[in-house]
Amino acid sequence: MKKPIVVIILLLLSMHTNAQDTVLQKKFIDVSVSLSGFGGDYVTNSMGVQAGVEFRLKKNVAMQCDLRYIFDLPGLRGSGYFIINVDNLVGFAINTEVKVYQRQFRNELRGGYLGGQAFFEYTNASLHETQVNRNKIGIYGIVGWKYIGNKGFLFETSGGIGMQLISSYSTNKTYYISNEFPWSKSYDSGTNLYPDLTWNVRIGWRF
């Protein structure tokens, strides 16, 4: 009599474990637009469009991948003391984040999370006859929070601190170009390492 009871209990435990694993490994993709991408390169009279996806790596760990297209906006020329005015600019940025979700909703990849971020940006700008190529590489530790509505609506905010390496060089230099704020680095030349802050606000949908 004891053996059938033991067998039934083991079967129930196995079914419960399998059900949990199914929930934990549920696959979905979060598609979002980044509001921080609208800032372009945050140095010149530029703006950008950034979109990305997030997917599960394992249980409570996910990866976010974003791509930003950056372009000059003539209407912003002369709009601020800290903006470097350029005639033409085009570029892109790639952002990758690994997020470890915390507490009760971690297996659903929502709620609070801690993570790391790697960022690369390249722009090519012109001012009169001068051509400036600028690269930025950043590494950050981040903390964030994600809300997922019943219908799949997504809202996410995050921020962090890290280091950035900025490198730029120019050709046909015929014009003085201002320094970058707040580090007073020459926009058109030099390589320097600086502390940096990062932030992000995303809206989108879970599929």
Side-chain angles (χ1 to χ4, degrees), residues 26-206:
K26 182 178 179 181
K27 298 183 182 299
F28 44 74
I29 294 179
D30 293 343
V31 180
S32 60
V33 175
S34 171
L35 302 186
S36 62
F38 292 135
D41 63 4
Y42 287 88
V43 177
T44 63
N45 53 300
S46 64
M47 68 176 299
V49 178
Q50 177 174 321
V53 297
E54 179 180 329
F55 51 90
R56 185 192 300 274
L57 293 180
K58 62 177 184 178
K59 291 187 177 180
N60 64 320
V61 182
M63 175 175 283
Q64 174 82 34
C65 298
D66 296 293
L67 180 63
R68 180 189 305 177
Y69 173 66
I70 306 170
F71 53 93
D72 65 284
L73 197 64
L76 289 179
R77 285 183 60 88
S79 60
Y81 178 78
F82 303 118
I83 293 178
I84 296 174
N85 297 310
V86 296
D87 295 325
N88 296 287
L89 181 143
V90 66
F92 67 91
I94 299 172
N95 178 70
T96 302
E97 300 171 12
V98 175
K99 308 172 184 178
V100 182
Y101 285 85
Q102 309 294 314
R103 295 186 173 275
Q104 66 189 72
F105 300 116
R106 60 184 180 272
N107 295 325
E108 300 171 30
L109 300 187
R110 61 188 179 98
Y113 63 82
L114 301 173
Q117 175 186 0
F119 181 85
F120 172 77
E121 177 185 280
Y122 168 79
T123 57
N124 173 266
S126 64
L127 185 58
H128 298 278
E129 299 299 322
T130 303
Q131 295 287 325
V132 181
N133 294 282
R134 181 177 181 272
N135 298 281
K136 172 183 173 181
I137 300 174
I139 298 178
Y140 309 87
I142 59 173
V143 58
W145 178 82
K146 176 183 282 188
Y147 166 80
I148 302 292
N150 293 332
K151 301 296 184 179
F153 172 76
L154 177 160
F155 175 83
E156 179 181 357
T157 180
S158 65
I161 187 170
M163 299 296 294
Q164 60 176 340
L165 179 69
I166 302 175
S167 179
S168 53
Y169 65 93
S170 61
T171 58
N172 301 323
K173 185 171 181 179
T174 60
Y175 190 83
Y176 171 75
I177 302 179
S178 302
N179 293 334
E180 297 183 18
F181 176 83
W183 310 116
S184 296
K185 177 196 172 295
S186 176
Y187 174 71
D188 59 343
S189 63
T191 300
N192 296 90
L193 185 67
Y194 302 104
D196 193 25
L197 299 175
T198 183
W199 69 279
N200 223 318
V201 176
R202 295 185 177 96
I203 57 173
W205 210 263
R206 171 166 288 184

Side-chain angles (χ1 to χ4, degrees), residues 10-30:
L10 290 175
L11 285 173
L12 289 174
L13 287 173
S14 177
M15 291 172 63
H16 177 69
T17 301
N18 290 334
Q20 281 189 321
D21 290 340
T22 300
V23 173
L24 292 177
Q25 299 302 319
K26 182 178 179 181
K27 298 183 182 299
F28 44 74
I29 294 179
D30 293 343

